Amino acid sequence: MKILVTNDDGIKCPNLKILVEYLKKYYDEIMVIAPTTEQSAVSHKINISNPITLIEYEDIIKGVKTYSID
């Protein structure tokens, strides 16, 4: 089973890593995509001037594809 983990607290949130480390015990394929910075309470935010960028991280959670989106 494939699992996608995301949050609104940002890619470097310590609880995100704790959750993924727990899930690694039960699932073979996990991918993390989270915002580059904390994004709580911005559900109606609109972006008209900045490109959306996807950044891959290799050192946050070992063995898990981890990306941030800005």
Side-chain angles (χ1 to χ4, degrees), residues 7-66:
N7 69 8
D8 64 353
D9 294 323
I11 194 71
K12 296 191 178 179
C13 173
N15 293 333
L16 180 66
K17 184 175 181 178
I18 292 169
L19 173 62
V20 173
E21 291 294 342
Y22 176 79
L23 291 173
K24 281 173 57 176
K25 298 175 188 176
Y26 302 101
Y27 300 100
D28 296 327
E29 192 172 346
I30 300 172
M31 179 182 286
V32 176
I33 301 177
T36 303
T37 59
E38 190 266 329
Q39 297 292 312
S40 296
V42 293
S43 62
H44 293 169
K45 183 178 180 180
I46 187 168
N47 179 8
I48 59 172
S49 60
N50 298 324
I52 296 173
T53 56
L54 185 68
I55 302 166
E56 183 175 7
Y57 291 83
E58 295 182 10
D59 58 346
I60 291 183
I61 305 167
K62 185 177 179 181
V64 176
K65 292 182 181 181
T66 306

